[in-house]
Amino acid sequence: MPWEFSDHHVRPNVFFWSPKAYEERRQVNGRRREATECYRRAQQLVEDGEYEEAEEQLEFAVAAWPDNAKFVLALGSVVCHYLRDPEGSLDWFDRAIEIKDSHQHRMARAAAAAAMGSLEEALEDVQHALDAQRMNGVYMRTRAMLLERMGRYKEAILDFKAAVPLLREDGVPVADCIINQGYCNRMLHKHAEAQRLFEDASKISPSDITVRILLGCTFMEGRRYKDALHMFESQLAAHADSPAAHNNMALAIHQTVVQEEALPQHRAASSARKEQPAGLERSEGSHRPSTGAACAGAGAAMAMGEEDVELSDDDFDFGDGGCVSGMDGAGGRSTPPGGRGSSSNEDPKQWLLNVLQADAKDAPSASSRAEQHTEQLKKALELLNRAAELFEQQQHELEATGMRGVCASKNGVHALEPNTPGQALDGVLLMLAHSQRVPGMPAVHDAEIQEGEIEYNRGQVHLALGNLNQAEEDFSAALEINPTHAHYPHFRAVVYGRKGNYKEAINWNMQALALNPGYFPANYHLGLVLHLLGRHAEALERMDVALKRKPHAAAALEARGSMLQELDNHRDAIVALQDALHNLSADEPPSVTARLHYAIAQSAIAMHDVGLLKDSLRQARIHGQDAASTYNLRGLLAHREKQLAKAAAYHTRAVNLAPNEARFLFDRSQVNVERGALDTALDDLSLALKMLPGNASLLYFRGAAYYARARGADDDSAALQDFEAAARTLRGHSSAAPLAAARSGTVASQMLVRSSAGAGVLARLSPAASGDFEGGGGGGFGSGGGLARSGTIASQMLNRSGANAGPSRLSPVASGEAEGGAAGCGGGGSGGAAHPTPTLRVDPRLWEGSKIICGSPTPPDLTTSLWYQLGCVQARLGHFGDAVGAFEAAAQLLPTHPRILHELAKCYQATSRFSDAIQCFDRVLVQQPRNARALFRRGLAYRSLKQYDRAAADMERARQLEPANAAMWVDYHRLCEWVSSGVGSAPSSARGCACVSCMTRYPSVPSLHEAVQARDLKRLVWTTVSVAAARCFLLVRRRQAVTTVHGHTRDSSLASENGRMGGWEL
């Protein structure tokens, strides 16, 4: 207020108030005393919690003493901090700064601005205060907390670090400052530094529950689950009504159980690795099986192979007795340590199945999981159920009070999200960065738990217990509550992957990727599923997307290498597998390292890199790969290089070390087939069938070997039995519709069988059957349609896990038996078949050993070859009706293949279906118009239908195409003589005529001399005008008197000849 001093007296060095001025001054002093009294009363009211009355008293004080910055500052503080109205307090703080711009006033206004969420303005005021007080630890701590709230964690760490010694000098507790510094490091994913700081804070304040919670969370991130469990026990004891405490405790129990179940394998693997050098020093012959059928088969192969083969040049000895997996007392193969699988005769992608199905398809039993672990997991379920109840209650309370989303502050601990309002400039600051939070992580505060997260964690525990249906319910509930989180649809895909429903797994992974296209787990899991289903190119695309997010993920790099191997891109596969080796975690068991080295060795074979092969095999052996697998791999390399004797020797060593491994026997059998040692091959296949009873692909190969050996009716009957057993697997999968025909131009229409073993056996068909193709009598399928060469081995990729293999839980897709779907040769007709076509593929457990060698990673489709060979052996045994059915099935799959059509036509002739035979021969001649045999046989069919003009034209054309082939010549003179004598059914115009031109119009026979020479009555029946004429020709040939051409003469020797006729040599 203006003061007037005009009414006064002035004397030298003396000042006198005028009465008016004196009165005014007295009034001012009175108001100031009243203001001071109001300020004191306000202080007491604040202590008593009467904040509104305190505000009223301070307003009186400010009104009475308006230029007193102290009262203005106090009023702003009450409004901001006690009445929770930071916006209303700003005017008072601005007024205080106008009265006096001091660092205290700036700090007060900074607190109000921070409470409003205006962090930039607050930071500006704090910086102004620090300019005035550079060594003020409290101000520096405040700036650090503002920077933390703004997400500028690196700058915040520097301020917290600088503030600690200043606060110590001032006697201010520093535990909260150290905790905040550690929390900033945690937000930057510097977990080791964060853990060190939390441990320092714990030493300063050992009873602080907050630091124990943070330590527990850090231990969880560092996989120190037992230590985390100890910390969360303290949290649960102190906060029994906290959903975060129950949730964290359950997570720690779950992870502890999982870790303890893995540790024994790691210990066993480490122990085995320590013992490895001693084992490698054993002599080669120190551990051979000595009893059993397997040993007999192995010895037979050794006798024909290894004893005469020198293996020392460019080779190295692995030491048969030194393999980590060893041999058990019964001569079997013991379980190797660690890894993702541990048994013989496993699916080659068992490691992939183990990832997708987590080694547990069904609920665990007491024998597979320790009872105490099951009890612990059940306790975790109880904790999560309680956490869900507490969380729901807490959410209802927040809704009722309107406090949802508001900064949660209690006991000096503040939990809020970045760049949000909140009064948090001291104490412990916990930033709730939900965007960085992943379900399944522990919660540092109740406010950090998101909706659906507890249900998700409960689903994880159900998965660990094998309760797939309950897990699916929890994941579905989490997805319904929070449909924007990619984790929840992804783990529905995980459940379906465990169940083997890969179609649904793909669908749910795609839903997860629609929410987050770069989500690593979904891309990785989807890539594995597609890889398992054989969709390797798509799988590789997904794995590349996953690796963009985590380029050093060893599991993803290994999977990528496997996919590249399946795509026959071994150069890039080697790079990916080597990268996986370099990025392996230190806690991975040695068996994983062995598996990766072994996979590199497989690709080294395909790349003809002998140096890399040797080095990789040596490293695989050092890390626990069994010697049998390495010997088998060396045998496959020798096989590829056509060193068949060496290949047989190596395979024999592998069989001797692991006589119960069906794949090794199968690989050796293929070498023996190519060497022509069919007896030994049959022994190996029979032994393999004892290990894999009823295996359709083994039955097929053994039947083909019997058929190729062809030592008489016994071999034919054995082949028929094996082929029919294999065919039953197809018939069992095809109850609704006949086999669908393959589309013209597909791979199936170009190649019946890609299996070299199958091709090698098929090449040894009967002479007549193998000679019915245009271009000469090449070997079986190889001569007719560009099929596999005789004796080549099919492309094989070796077992990724070798001895480190797990129990064989084959999915229908990976089983290698009859599978539904229009895959391989059974492609379906145009527009798609109404029913899936069952196919027989080589069992992946067998094919895995050889697919790299021929560059065909996919197991070949044997379906068409099976029906064809079944028809051949049935026809050879004279079962022409059954043979027609088999050949028709093969023709449905490959409707344009000339060999199948030719054999089908021959069977039609044998069953008197001449019109059908002519149609098949027509289809053959469309593709091979110069096929003399098809022309000649069609002529026979025309003769049987009495279409003599057409018969004559076909036979003459066949003779012109192969003039040097005696089978194409007809003795028309002799035939005419018989016909003119009244034999047969030639037209009357031909009777009595002995000229060649006449019989050219009415031919009906091939070379009768050849037929008679072969003493083949059946052939004569087909090639002469009548049965009587055939008999007469035989009698004339034997210079026996014939008195009639009507068969009245009976000759016992002729009858005996008739009895021996037969066979499928047409």
Side-chain angles (χ1 to χ4, degrees):
M1 57 180 296
W3 302 97
E4 296 180 1
F5 298 97
S6 58
D7 189 11
H8 61 276
H9 302 281
V10 179
R11 290 182 181 181
N13 299 322
V14 178
F15 179 83
F16 293 94
W17 287 99
S18 68
K20 181 179 179 181
Y22 183 79
E23 180 62 25
E24 291 175 351
R25 180 60 180 169
R26 188 183 65 80
Q27 292 177 3
V28 168
N29 289 336
R31 285 195 293 273
R32 288 182 176 180
R33 284 192 296 272
E34 290 178 2
T36 302
E37 186 62 28
C38 288
Y39 175 76
R40 290 174 180 171
R41 284 198 296 268
Q43 286 181 315
Q44 185 60 45
L45 289 169
V46 169
E47 292 179 2
D48 297 339
E50 304 292 339
Y51 304 126
E52 293 181 357
E53 288 79 357
E55 179 190 16
E56 185 178 348
Q57 292 296 320
L58 287 171
E59 286 176 349
F60 290 152
V62 170
W65 198 340
D67 58 347
N68 190 319
K70 176 183 178 181
F71 297 163
V72 176
L73 182 64
L75 178 57
S77 298
V78 169
V79 173
C80 178
H81 300 298
Y82 297 105
L83 296 178
R84 306 290 183 182
D85 184 12
E87 186 175 2
S89 68
L90 276 181
D91 291 338
W92 300 112
F93 291 132
D94 291 341
R95 186 170 173 179
I97 292 174
E98 288 176 5
I99 296 171
K100 182 180 180 181
D101 190 354
S102 67
H103 57 88
Q104 295 95 336
H105 297 167
R106 290 278 185 169
M107 290 298 294
R109 188 170 69 176
M116 292 175 58
S118 302
L119 301 182
E120 292 289 349
E121 291 80 355
L123 185 61
E124 183 179 349
D125 281 336
V126 172
Q127 186 62 51
H128 191 280
L130 270 172
D131 290 341
Q133 298 282 324
R134 292 186 179 276
M135 302 302 292
N136 191 312
V138 175
Y139 292 175
M140 195 166 292
R141 180 187 64 186
T142 303
R143 184 173 69 177
M145 296 187 75
L146 285 173
L147 291 170
E148 181 181 356
R149 291 178 62 179
M150 296 169 70
R152 296 160 64 176
Y153 299 114
K154 291 183 179 180
E155 299 171 66
I157 289 171
L158 296 176
D159 276 352
F160 282 129
K161 188 175 182 179
V164 169
L166 298 174
L167 292 172
R168 280 200 175 113
E169 289 180 5
D170 296 337
V172 179
V174 297
D176 292 350
C177 194
I178 295 175
I179 292 173
N180 290 335
Q181 182 183 351
Y183 196 83
C184 289
N185 278 283
R186 181 174 183 264
M187 297 301 287
L188 292 174
H189 305 290
K190 297 179 179 179
H191 302 297
E193 181 64 15
Q195 179 180 319
R196 183 187 66 80
L197 291 166
F198 292 148
E199 288 174 344
D200 290 345
S202 179
K203 294 175 183 177
I204 297 171
S205 181
S207 61
D208 192 324
I209 296 301
T210 302
V211 73
R212 295 180 74 83
I213 295 172
L214 291 170
L215 265 177
C217 294
T218 308
F219 288 150
M220 289 285 287
E221 291 158 355
R223 299 184 181 180
R224 292 174 55 181
Y225 301 122
K226 286 189 176 181
D227 294 334
L229 185 60
H230 178 65
M231 295 298 170
F232 291 145
E233 285 174 350
S234 302
Q235 179 190 12
L236 186 60
H239 304 294
D241 58 346
S242 167
H246 290 79
N247 178 74
N248 292 349
M249 187 72 176
L251 289 176
I253 291 173
H254 173 219
Q255 294 298 336
T256 301
V257 169
V258 172
Q259 187 180 61
E260 287 179 351
E261 288 180 342
L263 280 176
Q265 297 177 358
H266 290 200
R267 294 195 195 100
S270 300
S271 174
R273 180 164 54 178
K274 291 176 182 177
E275 296 173 1
Q276 184 63 24
L280 286 173
E281 296 174 359
R282 298 184 185 178
S283 62
E284 179 179 335
S286 62
H287 208 324
R288 298 285 188 190
S290 57
T291 60
C295 302
M302 178 68 78
M304 66 171 297
E306 189 173 357
E307 62 181 6
D308 298 325
V309 178
E310 177 61 45
L311 298 179
S312 59
D313 53 335
D314 77 14
D315 292 307
F316 52 92
D317 187 14
F318 298 109
D320 292 355
C323 58
V324 172
S325 59
M327 302 285 291
D328 59 23
R333 200 167 163 198
S334 65
T335 302
R340 291 174 178 165
S342 308
S343 82
S344 60
N345 295 324
E346 61 152 12
D347 191 302
K349 292 182 180 176
Q350 189 64 48
W351 66 275
L352 182 56
L353 287 168
N354 291 344
V355 173
L356 293 175
Q357 300 176 1
D359 294 324
K361 273 193 161 183
D362 304 315
S365 62
S367 60
S368 64
R369 176 178 283 119
E371 185 177 350
Q372 59 177 351
H373 286 171
T374 303
E375 293 301 321
Q376 288 175 338
L377 291 174
K378 290 180 179 179
K379 180 182 177 182
L381 283 179
E382 294 175 1
L383 288 167
L384 287 168
N385 290 333
R386 178 59 178 161
E389 295 174 3
L390 293 171
F391 182 76
E392 187 176 359
Q393 294 174 9
Q394 195 177 81
Q395 295 303 305
H396 287 316
E397 292 174 2
L398 292 175
E399 288 286 351
T401 58
M403 296 296 291
R404 181 188 289 271
V406 179
C407 171
S409 298
K410 185 177 181 181
N411 299 328
V413 179
H414 313 285
L416 69 163
E417 297 181 10
N419 296 304
T420 55
Q423 296 180 353
L425 294 180
D426 59 1
V428 176
L429 178 59
L430 304 177
M431 301 307 301
L432 308 179
H434 294 298
S435 60
Q436 298 183 17
R437 180 166 176 75
V438 176
M441 292 176 59
V444 299
H445 194 276
D446 289 343
E448 193 173 21
I449 298 179
Q450 296 178 329
E451 291 184 341
E453 188 173 327
I454 295 176
E455 288 79 2
Y456 166 84
N457 294 336
R458 189 168 58 193
Q460 293 279 24
V461 178
H462 278 304
L463 276 180
L465 284 168
N467 303 331
L468 299 184
N469 293 331
Q470 293 89 329
E472 183 178 0
E473 291 176 4
D474 279 331
F475 292 136
S476 300
L479 181 61
E480 184 177 356
I481 295 170
N482 188 352
T484 62
H485 211 302
H487 275 70
Y488 305 148
H490 163 63
F491 270 89
R492 290 207 65 182
V494 170
V495 171
Y496 282 114
R498 293 272 191 98
K499 293 181 175 180
N501 188 344
Y502 300 119
K503 180 179 179 181
E504 285 298 320
I506 292 174
N507 292 337
W508 283 106
N509 274 322
M510 293 303 294
Q511 291 189 37
L513 292 174
L515 297 172
N516 183 0
Y519 182 43
F520 174 85
N523 278 300
Y524 174 69
H525 190 267
L526 179 57
L528 294 181
V529 172
L530 293 171
H531 184 32
L532 183 63
L533 296 178
R535 296 160 61 177
H536 307 301
E538 299 173 67
L540 183 61
E541 291 178 5
R542 289 298 173 185
M543 204 58 65
D544 286 341
V545 174
L547 284 168
K548 287 180 181 178
R549 180 63 62 91
K550 292 186 178 181
H552 303 297
L557 288 167
E558 180 185 4
R560 186 175 188 272
S562 174
M563 295 165 191
L564 288 167
Q565 286 180 323
E566 294 289 349
L567 294 170
D568 215 24
N569 184 356
H570 296 283
R571 187 180 304 278
D572 292 341
I574 290 173
V575 174
L577 293 168
Q578 289 175 338
D579 288 345
L581 271 173
H582 296 154
N583 289 282
L584 271 183
S585 174
D587 59 355
E588 285 286 355
S591 58
V592 177
T593 305
R595 184 176 69 229
L596 287 169
H597 281 297
Y598 194 79
I600 292 172
Q602 294 171 336
S603 289
I605 289 180
M607 297 295 297
H608 295 277
D609 191 336
V610 178
L612 178 61
L613 171 67
K614 289 183 177 181
D615 182 65
S616 299
L617 283 181
R618 182 177 290 107
Q619 290 298 321
R621 189 75 184 88
I622 289 172
H623 287 87
Q625 186 68 42
D626 63 313
S629 294
T630 51
Y631 278 130
N632 194 68
L633 191 61
R634 294 287 292 182
L636 290 167
L637 175 62
H639 194 170
R640 176 165 187 158
E641 295 173 347
K642 301 302 180 184
Q643 301 178 25
L644 300 182
K646 181 181 285 189
Y650 274 124
H651 285 311
T652 297
R653 288 189 177 185
V655 170
N656 287 339
L657 286 171
N660 294 326
E661 185 72 56
R663 177 169 60 87
F664 298 164
L665 290 165
F666 176 78
D667 290 340
R668 188 171 68 176
S669 74
Q670 304 315 294
V671 176
N672 288 326
V673 166
E674 194 165 342
R675 299 175 73 192
L678 293 177
D679 293 343
T680 308
L682 283 167
D683 291 341
D684 285 342
L685 292 169
S686 297
L687 286 171
L689 271 168
K690 290 182 179 179
M691 300 165 201
L692 299 175
N695 185 279
S697 47
L698 283 175
L699 288 167
Y700 164 84
F701 283 110
R702 190 174 69 175
Y706 276 125
Y707 181 77
R709 189 170 70 171
R711 288 184 179 173
D714 289 342
D715 276 359
D716 291 340
S717 299
L720 178 62
Q721 183 178 358
D722 282 345
F723 285 142
E724 287 183 339
R728 277 194 290 272
T729 64
L730 295 181
R731 296 188 181 111
H733 286 76
S734 179
S735 58
L739 297 175
R743 293 188 297 274
S744 176
T746 62
V747 175
S749 67
Q750 302 168 16
M751 184 176 290
L752 279 180
V753 122
R754 298 180 66 181
S755 161
S756 63
V761 173
L762 290 176
R764 299 169 177 83
L765 297 173
S766 61
S770 64
D772 280 333
F773 265 104
E774 176 183 359
F781 282 96
S783 61
L787 302 172
R789 296 188 308 275
S790 171
T792 60
I793 188 163
S795 170
Q796 301 181 355
M797 174 179 170
L798 310 173
N799 190 347
R800 292 182 54 80
S801 52
N804 302 323
S808 179
R809 291 184 295 274
L810 299 180
S811 66
V813 174
S815 66
E817 299 302 316
E819 60 185 61
C825 292
S830 59
H835 299 279
T837 302
T839 60
L840 175 65
R841 293 189 178 276
V842 179
D843 192 324
R845 292 173 293 182
L846 306 174
W847 185 247
E848 188 71 8
S850 305
K851 59 185 174 183
I852 286 179
I853 295 197
C854 281
S856 175
T858 303
D861 188 345
L862 305 176
T863 313
T864 310
S865 180
L866 171 63
W867 292 123
Y868 175 84
Q869 292 200 73
L870 178 60
C872 287
V873 72
Q874 286 171 334
R876 181 185 283 180
L877 291 171
H879 307 157
F880 299 113
D882 295 335
V884 166
F887 285 131
E888 285 178 342
Q892 281 183 308
L893 293 172
L894 289 185
T896 60
H897 201 282
R899 173 169 290 281
I900 296 174
L901 295 173
H902 197 283
E903 300 301 320
L904 176 59
K906 288 162 62 177
C907 281
Y908 282 149
Q909 284 182 309
T911 54
S912 301
R913 295 170 60 177
F914 303 113
S915 297
D916 293 334
I918 290 172
Q919 291 179 9
C920 287
F921 284 129
D922 289 344
R923 292 164 65 184
V924 173
L925 290 168
V926 167
Q927 300 179 68
Q928 298 180 344
R930 298 180 60 82
N931 190 327
R933 292 162 179 76
L935 283 166
F936 197 87
R937 290 184 177 280
R938 188 173 68 176
L940 293 178
Y942 279 133
R943 187 214 62 80
S944 299
L945 295 176
K946 300 183 181 181
Q947 299 180 24
Y948 300 109
D949 292 330
R950 293 183 177 181
D954 280 352
M955 289 186 172
E956 189 63 20
R957 175 64 174 161
R959 183 184 63 79
Q960 293 172 0
L961 288 173
E962 293 189 11
N965 189 343
M968 302 298 169
W969 287 84
V970 178
D971 190 343
Y972 296 114
H973 291 284
R974 182 67 60 88
L975 179 63
C976 287
E977 293 174 4
W978 284 99
V979 172
S980 64
S981 301
V983 179
S985 55
S988 58
S989 59
R991 296 186 182 181
C993 178
C995 66
V996 174
S997 60
C998 179
M999 286 314 301
T1000 301
R1001 291 186 59 200
Y1002 305 106
S1004 59
V1005 296
S1007 174
L1008 300 181
H1009 296 292
E1010 180 184 351
V1012 172
Q1013 235 175 9
R1015 307 174 71 81
D1016 189 341
L1017 178 60
K1018 182 179 293 185
R1019 207 165 164 188
L1020 286 171
V1021 170
W1022 276 42
T1023 57
T1024 58
V1025 178
S1026 68
V1027 176
R1031 289 174 176 164
C1032 290
F1033 270 108
L1034 281 175
L1035 295 173
V1036 168
R1037 189 66 177 172
R1038 298 176 62 180
R1039 292 181 173 85
Q1040 296 182 0
V1042 181
T1043 58
T1044 175
V1045 296
H1046 298 291
H1048 299 302
T1049 299
R1050 294 291 182 264
D1051 183 82
S1052 59
S1053 61
L1054 177 62
S1056 64
E1057 289 287 346
N1058 294 344
R1060 288 196 294 271
M1061 296 302 174
W1064 186 235
E1065 307 300 328
L1066 301 181

